[in-house]
Amino acid sequence: AKASGRNNFQFYTQELNGRTYDYLMVENQLRRAIERKEFQLYYQPQIELASGALVGCEALIRWMHPERGMVPPDRFIPVAEDSGLIVRIGEWALIEACRQNKAWQEQGLPAIPVAVNLSPAQFSSSITATVEIALMETGLSARHLELEVTEGVVMRDAIEVIDTLRELKRMGVRLSIDDFGTGYSSLSYLRRFPIDKLKVDRSFVDEIGADVDDEAIASAIIDLAHSLRLKVIAEGVETADQARFLLQRGCDQIQGFLVSRPLSAGAMAEFLQTWRADTGQ
Ligand code: C2E
Ligand code: CA
Ligand code: CA
Ligand code: CA
């Protein structure tokens, strides 16, 4: 029993050291990546379901690691959040998305909003100044910027959060709740926050056609959004059957591999050129 106890302990410390080492390595490399500008944004189109018109795109960060190749955000965003580096990385992503969107417009491509993901750690009262600077420096108009926040951020429910969201709204920026349905269960905050759009989490969309409970949740979120006069977008739509179901339930917009994978800036420019956009919004 003693021996196995020791083995367990060794196993545990090895595991812990392994994780710590990996963590520190990623953190150090992230610091270097910021200096060497190793990040890129990809863009995923958002489509109005009923008309098929292009109504926006979401900016998704990629780390182009010199040795490891393209690192997906799930591999480094958590480390960036824990270490606080997300503030600088997020600031870069915000400015880059605004700059790119403005550049597309100046090339005569349709003007659509670009949605940028905001980590909870970025969401302090100084975010309004950061957004203001990004818009001013790039010349992008506020209505062509959308910010995606998670339920965790709005559920803090502090007076400052409400004030900050109202200030962003007053500036003309759009606000959406990401991964809706996966966070806390209280919905009362939805009334108090100046939100434009709910994003039905991919986990519910995945199960359309397979799990009636998840279908019920997706439908309920669509109805909830509409009762509150919010738009609703389903993310992670991969099949025509999922899109048909969502259309039938009155979902406004979709985003997912069915329409397009996230695209490099160059490929997104081509998409903007060929796809019919709805710029009258
Ligand atoms: P998210 O905000 O929920 O983004 C949607 C994710 O779903 C993206 O993964 C996208 O590539 C993926 N996706 C889109 N359509 C489909 C589909 O039809 N099927 C499947 N299987 N997946 C689909 P990605 O790009 O790997 O990003 C993962 C997460 O990393 C994001 O989830 C977001 O939470 C975070 N993230 C990405 N970029 C940023 C950023 O600039 N800042 C912050 N703070 N977080 C970011
Ligand atoms: Ca998102
Ligand atoms: Ca999401
Ligand atoms: Ca997600």
Side-chain angles (χ1 to χ4, degrees), residues 102-146:
K102 180 70 181 179
W104 285 328
Q105 292 176 13
E106 282 176 344
Q107 289 160 33
L109 295 166
I112 57 165
V114 63
V116 176
N117 289 282
L118 278 194
S119 277
Q122 287 175 269
F123 200 87
S124 71
S125 54
S126 69
I127 189 68
T128 53
T130 306
V131 170
E132 209 149 23
I133 289 167
L135 293 173
M136 223 161 60
E137 278 188 357
T138 60
L140 186 73
S141 102
R143 70 177 194 283
H144 292 134
L145 176 65
E146 181 170 310

Side-chain angles (χ1 to χ4, degrees), residues 102-202:
K102 180 70 181 179
W104 285 328
Q105 292 176 13
E106 282 176 344
Q107 289 160 33
L109 295 166
I112 57 165
V114 63
V116 176
N117 289 282
L118 278 194
S119 277
Q122 287 175 269
F123 200 87
S124 71
S125 54
S126 69
I127 189 68
T128 53
T130 306
V131 170
E132 209 149 23
I133 289 167
L135 293 173
M136 223 161 60
E137 278 188 357
T138 60
L140 186 73
S141 102
R143 70 177 194 283
H144 292 134
L145 176 65
E146 181 170 310
L147 298 174
E148 296 193 2
V149 297
T150 52
E151 283 173 272
V153 167
V154 283
M155 280 305 293
R156 283 190 219 154
D157 199 11
I159 274 295
E160 307 106 68
V161 174
I162 302 182
D163 281 351
T164 303
L165 289 171
R166 288 202 178 130
E167 177 65 16
L168 288 168
K169 198 65 219 155
R170 200 193 52 74
M171 288 164 57
V173 173
R174 295 155 184 252
L175 299 170
S176 60
I177 305 285
D178 205 359
D179 304 338
F180 190 79
T182 61
Y184 301 77
S185 53
S186 165
L187 298 172
S188 58
Y189 72 86
L190 283 177
R191 290 187 274 117
R192 292 195 299 281
F193 293 112
I195 295 153
D196 301 288
K197 187 153 98 172
L198 300 184
K199 297 194 80 174
V200 181
D201 190 65
R202 176 150 59 91

